[in-house]
Amino acid sequence: MQWSCALSTRPSLELALQEVVTRALADFGVAPDLGLIFVSASFASDFPRLLPLLQEQLQVPRLLGCCGGGIVGTQQGVGVECEQQPALTLLLASLPGVRATPFHLSPEDLPDLDSPPQAWIEAIGVNPADNPQFLLMVDPFSAKIEDLLQGLDFAYPESVKVGGLSSGVGTESAVTSLFFQDRQVDGVIGLALSGNIQLQAIVAQGCRPVGPLWHIAAADRNILRQLQTEDEEPISALQALQSVLQQLPAESQRSLCVGLACNAFQTVLQPGDFLIRNLLGFDPRTGAVAIGDRVRVGQRLQLHVRDAQTAADDLERQLGHWCQQSAAKPAAALLFSCLGRGKPFYQQANFESQLIQHYLSELPLAGFFCNGEIGPIAGSSYLHGYTSVLALLSPKTR
């Protein structure tokens, strides 16, 4: 298994492609059989020319990619995050003993949630018995993302699914920005990897719990109506929210969100056991609070605060844990990070990419800043926000 990554920040698409192809191929002794390309929204007007220009310089049987509001790549062995500027990253791989199956689902091809698992298996074209692991890139304007993730979990319950929603900036965000083999597409593109490869995911939501653990006493779809602690009577969700807000400094109040416990049977909840969702609004007349996900009566939740220090600590904690548990470093990594992170969030350039390479040494690192991040929590796949999902790729341990 061999991986190579190259990044260019040249403002000319022709020169950027020439640079990344030359540098990425320089490390290869054999012809690569997979290419992943991530290109910044700054090149939006050149998207129709991207694949024809690339095919003039690179022949690879499997080629996928997308647009991002920011691009992650490797430059001279160092991880770099390019935000608000032209950038293009190419990740190449030679994967002997690995079956890499690319697939594209247009919005019309997506099975509905009433479909049996076989409908999803036929749409993807991969047998669950092969234990595929999935890389996903999604057009947020045309795909039903939640339906997609539920359907894939239904058909491939043992598989890891990671990825992100393509993104742009300003008017460029509406440009079709998925690249599949030799054409631009909408909907969903993905890669199913099976055989001598393992994909492990780190999902860093970057939030810390505040206040008590609540039980949902009354709710309707995504509306919290009443909450209660273990030994007290139910109160309105808004009263519960205000009781926690009173104890927080002003800067923390602005970044308050909700953590939903993923496992109903887990008695002790730790960081990573909550699915973080945004607060959407409240009704002062009824005391109801709306959040960004459906809830059910009896479910446990805890309010959380998101800030840069917590996000940094979360990612570092998980990287450290992974290194303790793993016998060898990965062969390559993909970073799917939220547009709301990066330099404006950390007040430091290249923070996450450098932290990753501090723990994992020099390795090919590629990715993009997303409009939503896909990764597993407690065995199920979710669409996240303000999150970083790191996919670690390596040969299977024997």
Side-chain angles (χ1 to χ4, degrees):
M1 179 178 295
Q2 185 178 1
W3 297 81
S4 177
C5 182
L7 166 73
S8 176
T9 56
R10 292 178 179 269
S12 162
L13 180 64
E14 289 88 345
L15 294 177
L17 285 171
Q18 183 179 8
E19 181 175 12
V20 296
V21 170
T22 300
R23 289 185 175 179
L25 286 177
D27 295 331
F28 266 84
V30 296
D33 46 36
L34 171 65
L36 298 175
I37 188 163
F38 304 108
V39 55
S40 75
S42 301
F43 287 117
S45 61
D46 288 322
F47 284 171
R49 302 192 303 128
L50 174 66
L51 294 175
L53 285 171
L54 183 58
Q55 289 174 330
E56 291 177 3
Q57 304 180 47
L58 177 68
Q59 298 299 317
V60 60
R62 302 166 189 85
L63 179 65
L64 297 88
C66 74
C67 162
I71 300 301
V72 179
T74 308
Q75 199 168 48
Q76 298 178 337
V78 177
V80 179
E81 300 162 24
C82 300
E83 305 173 65
Q84 308 295 321
Q85 69 178 96
L88 189 151
T89 286
L90 177 66
L91 180 68
L92 297 178
S94 174
L95 303 171
V98 176
R99 292 180 296 280
T101 305
F103 59 89
H104 166 231
L105 298 177
S106 68
E108 301 78 30
D109 296 333
L110 204 65
D112 59 49
L113 289 181
D114 294 327
S115 301
Q118 189 60 34
W120 290 91
I121 294 168
E122 292 174 359
I124 300 298
V126 176
N127 192 328
D130 293 337
N131 190 30
Q133 312 301 304
F134 291 96
L135 298 175
L136 302 169
M137 286 164 271
V138 183
D139 173 11
F141 300 105
S142 64
K144 298 178 181 178
I145 298 111
E146 300 288 357
D147 290 359
L148 167 72
L149 298 181
Q150 289 183 47
L152 290 178
D153 278 357
F154 190 32
Y156 302 93
E158 303 301 319
S159 300
V160 177
K161 299 101 182 166
V162 297
L165 277 57
S166 64
S167 63
V169 291
T171 58
E172 296 159 336
S173 61
V175 175
T176 299
S177 50
L178 300 180
F179 308 108
F180 183 75
Q181 303 289 62
D182 60 353
R183 63 193 188 276
Q184 283 182 253
V185 297
D186 58 8
V188 181
I189 62 173
L191 192 67
L193 298 166
S194 56
N196 184 29
I197 191 168
Q198 61 179 352
L199 188 159
Q200 295 169 285
I202 288 176
V203 180
Q205 298 181 95
C207 292
R208 58 182 170 86
V210 292
L213 186 67
W214 301 92
H215 295 256
I216 299 176
D220 179 21
R221 297 169 66 88
N222 72 319
I223 306 297
L224 298 169
R225 299 199 180 279
Q226 290 187 322
L227 302 177
Q228 66 182 122
T229 56
E230 190 72 38
D231 302 319
E232 297 181 358
E233 292 296 314
I235 59 175
S236 75
L238 184 55
Q239 284 179 291
L241 180 66
Q242 290 171 331
S243 70
V244 176
L245 281 172
Q246 293 171 0
Q247 305 172 35
L248 297 177
E251 60 271 17
S252 295
Q253 294 180 18
R254 290 190 291 269
S255 61
L256 199 65
C257 43
V258 174
L260 302 172
C262 296
N263 189 336
F265 304 102
Q266 187 172 344
T267 55
V268 179
L269 296 171
Q270 302 290 339
D273 296 330
F274 292 91
L275 175 64
I276 304 300
R277 288 297 185 243
N278 288 334
L279 288 163
L280 301 182
F282 60 90
D283 184 343
R285 296 178 297 105
T286 64
V289 175
I291 69 169
D293 208 340
R294 292 191 177 192
V295 293
R296 63 181 184 276
V297 172
Q299 192 172 10
R300 293 171 294 171
L301 67 82
Q302 192 168 13
L303 295 173
H304 282 65
V305 169
R306 179 183 285 112
D307 58 59
Q309 187 59 56
T310 302
D313 292 344
D314 185 15
L315 180 57
E316 185 164 17
R317 175 183 60 81
Q318 295 199 58
L319 284 167
H321 179 74
W322 190 91
C323 290
Q324 290 176 356
Q325 299 297 315
S326 178
K329 76 171 188 177
L334 289 163
L335 178 62
F336 306 96
S337 189
C338 178
L339 280 167
R341 294 168 78 107
K343 184 177 179 179
F345 185 58
Y346 290 108
Q347 296 297 301
Q348 179 180 334
N350 309 317
F351 179 83
E352 292 192 343
S353 60
Q354 291 182 2
L355 183 62
I356 291 165
Q357 293 198 318
H358 171 75
Y359 277 88
L360 302 177
S361 303
E362 292 185 5
L363 83 165
L365 173 67
F368 67 102
F369 286 84
C370 312
N371 213 13
E373 305 75 53
I374 296 168
I377 294 287
S380 296
S381 304
Y382 295 101
L383 177 66
H384 305 275
Y386 299 98
T387 294
S388 282
V389 176
L390 182 64
L392 303 172
L393 297 151
S394 56
K396 286 184 176 177
T397 55
R398 301 295 183 182

